[in-house]
Amino acid sequence: MAESKCGVIAVVGRPNVGKSTLMNGMIGEHLSITSSKPQTTRHRVLGVMTETVKDVPTQFIFVDTPGFQTKHSNALNKTMNRAVLTALADVNVILWVIEQGKLMPADMKVLELCPKGVPLVAVVNKVDLLEKKNEVLPFLQKVSGQRNFDAIVPLSAQTNKNLDSLKEAVSALLPEQPFFYDEDTLTDRPEKFLAAERIREKLFRLVGDELPYTCTVVIDKFEIEEGRRVIFASILVDRSSHKAMIIGKGGEKLKRIGSEARQDMERLFGGSVHLETWVKVRSGWADNATLLQTLGYE
């Protein structure tokens, strides 16, 4: 019997197939931000889960990636696509995530990017939306004809349905080797990054469909004072009209964004947080490759 298993698992797919929700469900923590809008995930986010699978101590190192962009070619989308390709470069297993009943050209484009010779699992997500369970079978047969997959796992990341089957399928493909991280490690991302992501998630969720995708969050100050995290953050937008949209009437929208983000941070960090947010106009930031690097985009 193996002493331990450990490996890196890339989670890839087109936008909005549920990659971040899947990783969060697998590690049991709301680490990677989610919303119903495309482009919510803009960075590679690493999530670590360590548990025993079939009597073997196993460390799963998931890498959540942005949805691969095929429609737009600004600097931000090019940066996100590079993050996907980088994640695929040196992994032990790839999870190709698609939606039940939908096999689109964008899905096939992502599948083409998956290198041969790396164990590949097709994850058919959102099966909870099916009215009848047997409706999934014809689609699974269609998927199986696209590539020689090591496993095909239908599941619902939203309801955690069948996640254990995915854990077992992935564990069987991981190499026998010592853990890369301490058993209590959740991610390699610093709290400053996680704080910015919590604010950005609230922007996507609370501002509505009119939210422009040309907004991002910069942490200007992150300090711990007498056990309390003090965070100052700037929300960068492309136009003055976007600024007014986020602030809202009487500042109520921005207050709600800050309040809900602060509550999420306190749960994640396990301590008190003082958060202050401002909205600033910085035109053209999403199409400025140099500026994107200074803002933390890889």
Side-chain angles (χ1 to χ4, degrees), residues 189-291:
R189 289 289 192 172
E191 289 187 353
K192 183 177 178 179
F193 169 84
L194 299 175
E197 287 289 272
R198 287 298 169 279
I199 298 169
R200 200 164 59 79
E201 179 180 63
K202 299 310 172 188
L203 283 167
F204 272 69
R205 289 189 172 193
L206 298 178
V207 178
D209 292 337
E210 71 274 18
L211 172 73
Y213 292 108
T214 50
C215 69
T216 195
V217 177
V218 177
I219 302 300
D220 303 308
K221 174 182 176 180
F222 191 111
E223 297 178 357
I224 299 179
E225 300 176 0
E226 297 180 352
R228 188 187 199 193
R229 290 165 178 81
V230 177
I231 303 170
F232 291 178
S234 295
I235 299 169
L236 303 186
V237 296
D238 202 52
R239 303 175 187 170
S240 296
S241 59
H242 299 164
K243 179 177 180 179
M245 188 185 303
I246 291 171
I247 293 174
K249 186 177 180 179
E252 289 302 314
K253 183 70 69 175
L254 184 60
K255 288 178 184 177
R256 185 179 175 191
I257 290 168
S259 176
E260 294 196 14
R262 177 185 55 78
Q263 293 174 42
D264 279 3
M265 290 178 204
E266 289 181 337
R267 282 191 289 269
L268 182 62
F269 301 151
S272 177
V273 171
H274 173 80
L275 173 65
E276 295 188 24
T277 55
W278 293 266
V279 186
K280 302 176 182 178
V281 178
R282 187 170 294 183
S283 300
W285 73 266
D287 207 20
N288 185 324
T290 302
L291 180 57

